Amino acid sequence: MFGNLFEEDYSTVSNNQYGKGKKLKTKVLEPPAPREFTNLSGIRNQGGTCYLNSLLQTLHFTPEFREALFSLGPEELGLFEDKDKPDAKVRIIPLQLQRLFAQLLLLDQEAASTTDLTDSFGWTSDEV
């Protein structure tokens, strides 16, 4: 039922630690499947964003949240192109979150960057 779940992996331990003449079981680790097979994309760590990245992945894989986010349109969020106009009301954080989720879903890449999203928070590289 559990397969090899409880087998120990001693592939990095030298034989001297377990005595001479003992045979050690070594488990061959398989590399992760290429993206085209898994259709998954990771998120790059900016040097201290691992907790943020895990939260983003959790939100991304929560269908209700993802669908609600993508259902927000220009009437609620404004237009990304207007973000630098002084009179425009643009909700840049949800727009950047939409863009990040779209990258994770649609682009053929191993990992997406959160730099634009953290910039929309007003964070500097020191605060990330």
Coordinates of all heavy atoms in Angstrom, one line a residue, residues 24-58:
L24 N 24.5 -1.3 1.4 CA 23.6 -0.3 1.6 C 22.6 -0.2 0.5 O 23.0 -0.4 -0.7 CB 24.2 1.1 1.8 CG 25.1 1.3 3.0 CD1 25.8 2.6 3.0 CD2 24.4 1.1 4.3
K25 N 21.3 0.0 0.8 CA 20.4 0.2 -0.3 C 20.5 1.7 -0.8 O 20.6 2.6 0.0 CB 18.9 0.0 0.2 CG 18.5 -1.4 0.4 CD 17.1 -1.4 0.8 CE 16.6 -2.8 1.1 NZ 15.2 -2.9 1.5
T26 N 20.6 1.8 -2.1 CA 20.6 3.2 -2.6 C 19.3 3.4 -3.4 O 18.9 2.5 -4.2 CB 21.8 3.5 -3.4 OG1 21.9 2.5 -4.5 CG2 23.1 3.4 -2.6
K27 N 18.7 4.5 -3.3 CA 17.5 4.8 -4.0 C 17.9 5.8 -5.1 O 18.6 6.8 -4.8 CB 16.5 5.5 -3.1 CG 15.2 5.7 -3.7 CD 14.2 6.4 -2.9 CE 14.1 6.1 -1.5 NZ 13.1 6.8 -0.7
V28 N 17.6 5.5 -6.3 CA 17.9 6.4 -7.4 C 16.8 7.5 -7.5 O 15.6 7.1 -7.6 CB 17.9 5.7 -8.8 CG1 18.2 6.6 -9.9 CG2 19.0 4.6 -8.7
L29 N 17.2 8.7 -7.4 CA 16.2 9.8 -7.4 C 15.9 10.2 -8.8 O 16.8 10.5 -9.6 CB 16.7 11.0 -6.6 CG 17.0 10.7 -5.1 CD1 17.5 12.0 -4.4 CD2 15.7 10.3 -4.4
E30 N 14.7 10.3 -9.2 CA 14.3 10.7 -10.5 C 14.2 12.2 -10.6 O 13.7 12.9 -9.6 CB 12.9 10.2 -10.8 CG 12.8 8.7 -10.9 CD 13.4 8.1 -12.2 OE1 13.4 8.8 -13.2 OE2 14.0 7.0 -12.1
P31 N 14.7 12.8 -11.6 CA 14.5 14.3 -11.8 C 13.1 14.6 -12.0 O 12.3 13.8 -12.4 CB 15.4 14.6 -13.0 CG 15.4 13.3 -13.8 CD 15.3 12.2 -12.8
P32 N 12.7 15.9 -11.6 CA 11.3 16.2 -11.8 C 10.9 16.2 -13.3 O 11.8 16.4 -14.2 CB 11.2 17.7 -11.3 CG 12.6 18.1 -11.3 CD 13.5 16.9 -11.1
A33 N 9.7 15.9 -13.6 CA 9.2 15.9 -15.0 C 9.3 17.2 -15.6 O 9.1 18.3 -15.0 CB 7.8 15.4 -15.0
P34 N 9.6 17.3 -16.9 CA 9.6 18.6 -17.6 C 8.3 19.3 -17.6 O 7.3 18.6 -17.4 CB 10.0 18.2 -19.0 CG 10.5 16.8 -19.0 CD 9.9 16.2 -17.8
R35 N 8.3 20.6 -17.7 CA 7.1 21.3 -17.6 C 6.0 20.9 -18.5 O 4.8 20.8 -18.2 CB 7.4 22.8 -17.8 CG 6.1 23.6 -17.8 CD 6.3 25.1 -17.6 NE 5.3 26.0 -17.9 CZ 4.0 26.0 -17.5 NH1 3.6 25.1 -16.7 NH2 3.1 26.9 -17.9
E36 N 6.3 20.5 -19.8 CA 5.3 20.1 -20.7 C 4.5 18.9 -20.2 O 3.4 18.7 -20.6 CB 5.8 19.8 -22.1 CG 6.8 18.7 -22.2 CD 8.3 19.1 -22.1 OE1 8.6 20.3 -21.8 OE2 9.2 18.2 -22.3
F37 N 5.1 18.1 -19.3 CA 4.3 16.9 -18.8 C 3.5 17.3 -17.5 O 2.4 16.8 -17.3 CB 5.3 15.8 -18.4 CG 6.0 15.2 -19.6 CD1 7.3 15.2 -19.7 CD2 5.2 14.8 -20.7 CE1 8.0 14.7 -20.8 CE2 5.9 14.3 -21.8 CZ 7.3 14.2 -21.9
T38 N 4.1 18.2 -16.7 CA 3.4 18.6 -15.5 C 2.5 19.8 -15.7 O 1.5 19.9 -14.9 CB 4.4 18.9 -14.4 OG1 5.1 20.0 -14.8 CG2 5.3 17.7 -14.0
N39 N 2.8 20.6 -16.6 CA 2.1 21.9 -16.8 C 2.1 22.8 -15.6 O 1.2 23.6 -15.4 CB 0.6 21.6 -17.3 CG 0.2 22.4 -18.4 OD1 1.0 23.0 -19.1 ND2 -1.1 22.4 -18.7
L40 N 3.1 22.7 -14.8 CA 3.2 23.5 -13.6 C 4.4 24.4 -13.7 O 5.4 24.1 -14.4 CB 3.4 22.6 -12.3 CG 2.3 21.7 -12.0 CD1 2.7 20.8 -10.8 CD2 1.0 22.4 -11.7
S41 N 4.2 25.6 -13.1 CA 5.3 26.6 -13.1 C 5.5 27.0 -11.6 O 4.6 27.2 -10.9 CB 4.9 27.8 -13.9 OG 5.9 28.8 -14.0
G42 N 6.8 27.2 -11.3 CA 7.1 27.6 -9.9 C 7.2 29.2 -9.9 O 6.9 29.9 -10.8
I43 N 7.6 29.6 -8.7 CA 7.8 31.1 -8.5 C 9.2 31.3 -8.0 O 9.6 30.6 -7.0 CB 6.7 31.6 -7.5 CG1 5.3 31.4 -8.0 CG2 7.0 33.1 -7.2 CD1 4.2 31.8 -7.0
R44 N 9.9 32.2 -8.6 CA 11.3 32.5 -8.2 C 11.3 33.2 -6.9 O 10.5 34.1 -6.6 CB 12.0 33.4 -9.3 CG 12.6 32.7 -10.3 CD 13.4 33.6 -11.3 NE 13.2 33.1 -12.6 CZ 12.3 33.6 -13.5 NH1 11.5 34.6 -13.1 NH2 12.2 33.0 -14.7
N45 N 12.3 32.8 -6.1 CA 12.5 33.5 -4.8 C 13.4 34.7 -5.0 O 14.4 34.6 -5.6 CB 13.2 32.5 -3.8 CG 13.2 33.0 -2.4 OD1 13.1 34.2 -2.1 ND2 13.4 32.1 -1.5
Q46 N 12.9 35.8 -4.4 CA 13.7 37.1 -4.5 C 14.7 37.2 -3.4 O 15.2 38.3 -3.3 CB 12.7 38.3 -4.5 CG 11.8 38.4 -5.7 CD 11.0 39.6 -5.6 OE1 11.5 40.7 -5.3 NE2 9.7 39.4 -5.8
G47 N 14.9 36.2 -2.7 CA 15.9 36.3 -1.6 C 15.3 36.3 -0.3 O 16.0 36.2 0.7
G48 N 14.0 36.3 -0.2 CA 13.4 36.3 1.1 C 11.9 36.2 1.0 O 11.1 36.6 1.8
T49 N 11.4 35.7 -0.2 CA 10.0 35.7 -0.5 C 9.4 34.3 -0.4 O 8.3 34.1 -1.0 CB 9.7 36.3 -1.8 OG1 10.4 35.6 -2.8 CG2 10.1 37.8 -1.9
C50 N 10.1 33.4 0.2 CA 9.6 32.0 0.2 C 8.2 31.9 0.8 O 7.4 31.1 0.3 CB 10.6 31.1 0.8 SG 11.2 31.6 2.5
Y51 N 8.0 32.6 1.9 CA 6.7 32.5 2.6 C 5.6 33.2 1.7 O 4.5 32.6 1.6 CB 6.7 33.2 4.0 CG 7.5 32.4 5.0 CD1 8.7 32.9 5.5 CD2 7.0 31.2 5.4 CE1 9.4 32.2 6.4 CE2 7.8 30.5 6.3 CZ 9.0 31.0 6.8 OH 9.7 30.3 7.7
L52 N 5.9 34.3 1.1 CA 5.0 34.9 0.1 C 4.7 34.0 -1.0 O 3.6 33.8 -1.4 CB 5.6 36.2 -0.4 CG 4.8 36.9 -1.5 CD1 3.5 37.4 -1.0 CD2 5.7 38.1 -2.1
N53 N 5.8 33.4 -1.5 CA 5.6 32.5 -2.7 C 4.7 31.3 -2.3 O 3.9 30.9 -3.2 CB 7.0 32.0 -3.2 CG 7.8 33.1 -3.8 OD1 7.3 34.2 -3.9 ND2 9.0 32.8 -4.2
S54 N 4.8 30.7 -1.1 CA 4.0 29.6 -0.8 C 2.5 30.1 -0.6 O 1.6 29.3 -1.0 CB 4.5 28.9 0.5 OG 4.4 29.8 1.6
L55 N 2.3 31.3 -0.1 CA 0.9 31.8 0.0 C 0.4 32.0 -1.5 O -0.8 31.7 -1.7 CB 0.9 33.1 0.7 CG -0.4 33.9 0.7 CD1 -1.5 33.1 1.4 CD2 -0.2 35.3 1.3
L56 N 1.2 32.6 -2.4 CA 0.7 32.8 -3.7 C 0.4 31.5 -4.4 O -0.6 31.4 -5.1 CB 1.8 33.5 -4.5 CG 2.0 35.0 -4.1 CD1 3.3 35.6 -4.8 CD2 0.8 35.8 -4.4
Q57 N 1.2 30.4 -4.2 CA 0.9 29.1 -4.8 C -0.4 28.6 -4.2 O -1.2 28.0 -5.0 CB 2.1 28.1 -4.6 CG 3.3 28.4 -5.4 CD 3.2 28.0 -6.8 OE1 2.1 27.7 -7.3 NE2 4.4 27.9 -7.5
T58 N -0.6 28.7 -2.9 CA -1.8 28.3 -2.3 C -3.0 29.0 -2.9 O -4.0 28.4 -3.2 CB -1.8 28.5 -0.8 OG1 -0.6 27.8 -0.3 CG2 -3.0 28.0 -0.1

